[in-house]
Amino acid sequence: MLNSRLILIITLFVSQAATAALGDRESVISSDQVRLKAASHSKSTVSGVNVHEMVSPIRTVKEFVNADGLVFAVSWKGIKPPNLSVVLGSYYQEFATENAKRARAVTRQPTEVQTPNIIVRKGGHMRALTGKAYVKALLPAGFNVGDLK
Amino acid sequence: MKSLRLTLFVIGFYVSACGSFSASTPASSSGSSSFIISSSVTINPTIASTDPNVLPVTVGCGYANEPCVSVTICQHGSSTCVTVNNILLDTGSYGLRIFGSALSSLGSLPGVSPDSGSGNLTECQSYLDGSSDWGPLSAVDVQLGSQTASNARIQVIEATYPGIPSDCTNPDTSPSDVGFNGIIGVGMFASDCGEGCADTADNETYYACSGSTCTNVAIAEANQLQNPVTLLSTNNNGVALQLNAPTNGMAASVSGYLVLGIGTQTNNTPIGAAVLNTDSDGNISTSFNGSTYTAFLDSGSNTMNFNQPSSIPLCDSSSDAPGFLCPSSLVTLTAVQSGTNGIGTSITFGIDNAVTLLDSGDNALTNLGTPYADGFDWGLPFFFGKTVYVGFDGATSSIGSGTYWAY
């Protein structure tokens, strides 16, 4: 009984924890380690922007932060893509709307979905699926999208 | 009989006068090129469709640039068998997956237990476009050519199998949904998930299912779905895919062979192949149009997927080929593939108007392209007119130690 109550409390905490995602503040990124079941969380600088890297046995997710302290991009690589409703945050619905318009491809190809605000790309191959998403208006001036790896 | 010669430019590595490589001296992994010399490759003329280690391949069996083989599946230790055609031959994945509907004549198939606990081991395998294959694993005898992988695990694709998790997105539902009866992944790795699924139950890939309740489970690499070629007793160190090229870039279909093993028989002994070692993900790099991309060779993708120059437009969204590339006429391009061992080859390829190509009704199309800004996915057109070797992880052959691509 105690155990089940504890589990309930933990579940509520996890599901209600603030989620850093596209457009969110850097200060809440640490909650994503739980949401993405990542074993580690480290921070570095790439091309002048802060990059938070969360690693689990099945994938690596990176969140890129601009000078205003906002997450302007996420990228991933691994066995399975992350739950896009987590990493795309408030932009998920416009992605889902646009994605639903796409006829199912006859064959499996890399894909790119453009919405009014974001670009989502997916590719790679089994065991090393890759992808990225970024907010066009939040990209730092001069930042090379190719550095979102 | 098929003696196609093509010129390769080989960068930064020793090549003997006859065009064969010394693969025993790994170069630096920097990929820097120190010199360029040319070599030549001859397609192996000794392959016959009746060889025990050969599976005939047809390109264009269903949709454009779909390479297909047939495999025979038997109840383990039994003569109750079914031959399933239209199996997509995929160098970009690992393991054999067949729709349950294509195996129905075998009757009830045996499930597989998880490493610990109870229930049926079941998998959600994800693909690059967000689609998935969902269904239980089963242990059967798999016949490839005249060779048999006994009691081998396959995935039975069954989107309606109870307990599908919500994050198993866009699952393949039927052969008519996807254009094939199954997929045979003969890429360079043995297991389809690797260490990640062995290290944690939170792998979002393998499940133990009882009734409609499925729970994520960790599973040892050897018990995951296996590239079936790695389970054969011989000719198990890699494969070679040899395809004819469509005349003038277009044909109703073309034929070829999947040959099991590398350098183990006369029919799979490489002739002057360039060997490109890969990184731990199975990737090489490709330099194109001033940028360098992560790259791989992918017979399961039916186009050249790359970051096209801005001069090549997309096909109109209301055309017969939305999402494909549509130059007004054939454009010839060049890219350099480089292995982690410093071997590089210059590849010339073409992109033509996809509406024209697909409206022709032909299903073997050399110049079909799609956009991919983040990498270079060398699809089926790359394989036309070549013998491409896939060197399996940890296996050695006369031309190297896997993982490598060679051609």
Side-chain angles (χ1 to χ4, degrees), chain A residues 34-38 56-59 76-84 92 95 99 102-112 114 119-134 144-149, chain B residues 63 92-94 97 124-133 167-168 170-172 177-178 180 183 189 191-194 196-197 199-200 202-205 207 221 281-283 292 296 300-303 305 370-374 377:
Chain A
V34 179
R35 302 268 299 192
L36 298 170
K37 298 172 182 171
S56 79
I58 64 164
R59 76 172 75 87
W76 58 87
K77 185 177 91 169
I79 293 156
K80 184 164 187 161
N83 185 337
L84 292 185
Y92 177 73
F95 164 77
N99 196 42
R102 298 168 58 89
R104 185 185 174 117
V106 173
T107 63
R108 297 186 164 102
Q109 308 287 4
T111 57
E112 175 172 300
Q114 292 206 32
I119 290 177
V120 181
R121 294 182 188 147
K122 294 183 276 188
H125 57 81
M126 191 170 283
R127 291 178 43 150
L129 300 176
T130 57
K132 69 174 62 160
Y134 62 93
N144 179 4
V145 174
D147 287 338
L148 299 173
K149 294 177 182 172
Chain B
Y63 53 82
S93 71
Y94 324 100
R97 307 161 205 277
C124 176
Q125 181 56 259
S126 303
Y127 293 91
L128 75 173
D129 61 351
S131 67
S132 308
D133 280 330
D167 64 358
C168 193
N170 201 7
D172 293 340
D177 178 33
V178 293
F180 46 74
I183 306 174
F189 296 106
S191 64
D192 76 335
C193 181
C197 286
D199 288 350
T200 178
D202 273 336
N203 55 50
E204 303 173 23
T205 301
Y207 298 82
E221 283 195 69
D281 289 327
N283 291 324
T292 301
F296 57 101
S301 177
N302 68 339
T303 67
N305 306 278
T370 45
Y372 180 27
D374 290 341
D377 181 342

Side-chain angles (χ1 to χ4, degrees), chain A residues 5-18:
Chain A
R5 215 176 263 168
L6 190 61
I7 289 168
L8 178 66
I9 291 168
I10 291 172
T11 304
L12 285 172
F13 173 75
V14 170
S15 61
Q16 292 178 356

Side-chain angles (χ1 to χ4, degrees), chain B residues 106-404:
Chain B
L106 295 178
S108 177
L109 289 167
V112 170
S113 295
D115 287 1
S116 61
S118 59
N120 285 327
L121 187 64
T122 306
E123 182 176 26
C124 176
Q125 181 56 259
S126 303
Y127 293 91
L128 75 173
D129 61 351
S131 67
S132 308
D133 280 330
W134 169 252
L137 271 61
S138 183
V140 295
D141 293 345
V142 176
Q143 292 179 11
L144 305 175
S146 303
Q147 296 190 243
T148 298
S150 179
N151 209 21
R153 294 179 175 196
I154 65 168
Q155 184 185 21
V156 181
I157 305 170
E158 206 173 334
T160 58
Y161 191 76
I164 184 169
S166 60
D167 64 358
C168 193
T169 52
N170 201 7
D172 293 340
T173 58
S174 66
S176 61
D177 178 33
V178 293
F180 46 74
N181 288 321
I183 306 174
I184 184 166
V186 296
M188 46 190 54
F189 296 106
S191 64
D192 76 335
C193 181
E195 286 179 13
C197 286
D199 288 350
T200 178
D202 273 336
N203 55 50
E204 303 173 23
T205 301
Y206 277 98
Y207 298 82
C209 293
S210 299
S212 60
T213 301
C214 296
T215 308
N216 255 144
V217 290
I219 176 165
E221 283 195 69
N223 294 332
Q224 298 170 14
L225 197 69
Q226 303 285 297
N227 173 344
V229 179
T230 66
L231 301 174
L232 300 171
S233 57
T234 59
N235 303 318
N236 56 15
N237 60 347
V239 295
L241 175 55
Q242 173 172 312
L243 296 180
N244 292 309
T247 304
N248 298 323
M250 297 172 72
S253 67
V254 299
S255 61
Y257 304 110
L258 177 70
V259 190
L260 308 173
I262 297 174
T264 57
Q265 312 290 337
T266 304
N267 68 5
N268 62 23
T269 296
I271 304 168
V275 180
L276 280 64
N277 289 350
T278 80
D279 66 16
S280 59
D281 289 327
N283 291 324
I284 54 176
S285 68
T286 292
S287 298
F288 175 71
N289 200 20
S291 294
T292 301
Y293 300 91
T294 298
F296 57 101
L297 311 183
D298 184 11
S299 67
S301 177
N302 68 339
T303 67
M304 296 291 198
N305 306 278
F306 69 110
N307 193 8
Q308 82 281 6
S310 56
S311 57
I312 300 182
L314 291 177
C315 303
D316 191 87
S317 58
S318 61
S319 72
D320 289 345
F324 288 83
L325 298 179
C326 266
S328 55
S329 61
L330 178 65
V331 178
T332 301
L333 302 163
T334 301
V336 175
Q337 294 183 357
S338 297
T340 55
N341 52 340
I343 292 289
T345 62
S346 178
I347 309 292
T348 297
F349 63 103
I351 298 297
D352 207 342
N353 187 287
V355 171
T356 305
L357 296 176
L358 294 171
D359 282 354
S360 73
D362 283 345
N363 268 342
L365 304 168
T366 304
N367 301 312
L368 199 58
T370 45
Y372 180 27
D374 290 341
F376 208 124
D377 181 342
W378 293 86
L380 194 277
F382 172 78
F383 293 77
F384 285 137
K386 296 186 185 69
T387 303
V388 178
Y389 298 86
V390 185
F392 290 167
D393 188 20
T396 57
S397 76
S398 55
I399 56 170
S401 180
T403 51
Y404 61 83

Side-chain angles (χ1 to χ4, degrees), chain A residues 61-118:
Chain A
V61 175
K62 295 180 183 176
E63 303 196 20
F64 298 77
V65 180
N66 68 14
D68 296 326
L70 299 175
V71 177
F72 69 91
V74 294
S75 70
W76 58 87
K77 185 177 91 169
I79 293 156
K80 184 164 187 161
N83 185 337
L84 292 185
S85 69
V86 172
V87 298
L88 300 186
S90 61
Y91 296 98
Y92 177 73
Q93 198 51 52
E94 64 183 80
F95 164 77
T97 301
E98 198 60 39
N99 196 42
K101 291 180 190 169
R102 298 168 58 89
R104 185 185 174 117
V106 173
T107 63
R108 297 186 164 102
Q109 308 287 4
T111 57
E112 175 172 300
V113 175
Q114 292 206 32
T115 75
N117 293 302
I118 68 171

Side-chain angles (χ1 to χ4, degrees), chain A residues 28-50:
Chain A
V28 291
I29 285 179
S30 55
S31 67
D32 286 5
Q33 187 174 344
V34 179
R35 302 268 299 192
L36 298 170
K37 298 172 182 171
S40 71
H41 175 188
S42 61
K43 187 174 162 184
S44 62
T45 302
V46 174
S47 303
V49 305
N50 284 344

Side-chain angles (χ1 to χ4, degrees), chain B residues 58-128:
Chain B
T58 303
V59 174
C61 39
Y63 53 82
N65 288 348
E66 177 192 15
C68 290
V69 297
S70 294
V71 300
T72 297
I73 305 296
C74 302
Q75 290 275 12
H76 176 51
S78 149
S79 59
T80 301
C81 302
V82 62
T83 297
V84 184
N85 62 10
N86 196 0
I87 301 283
L88 174 66
L89 177 63
D90 185 12
T91 60
S93 71
Y94 324 100
L96 177 58
R97 307 161 205 277
I98 302 177
F99 280 98
S101 59
L103 299 171
S104 58
S105 66
L106 295 178
S108 177
L109 289 167
V112 170
S113 295
D115 287 1
S116 61
S118 59
N120 285 327
L121 187 64
T122 306
E123 182 176 26
C124 176
Q125 181 56 259
S126 303
Y127 293 91
L128 75 173

Side-chain angles (χ1 to χ4, degrees), chain B residues 43-57:
Chain B
I43 278 190
N44 191 325
T46 66
I47 304 170
S49 60
T50 52
D51 291 347
N53 64 329
V54 168
L55 287 73
V57 178

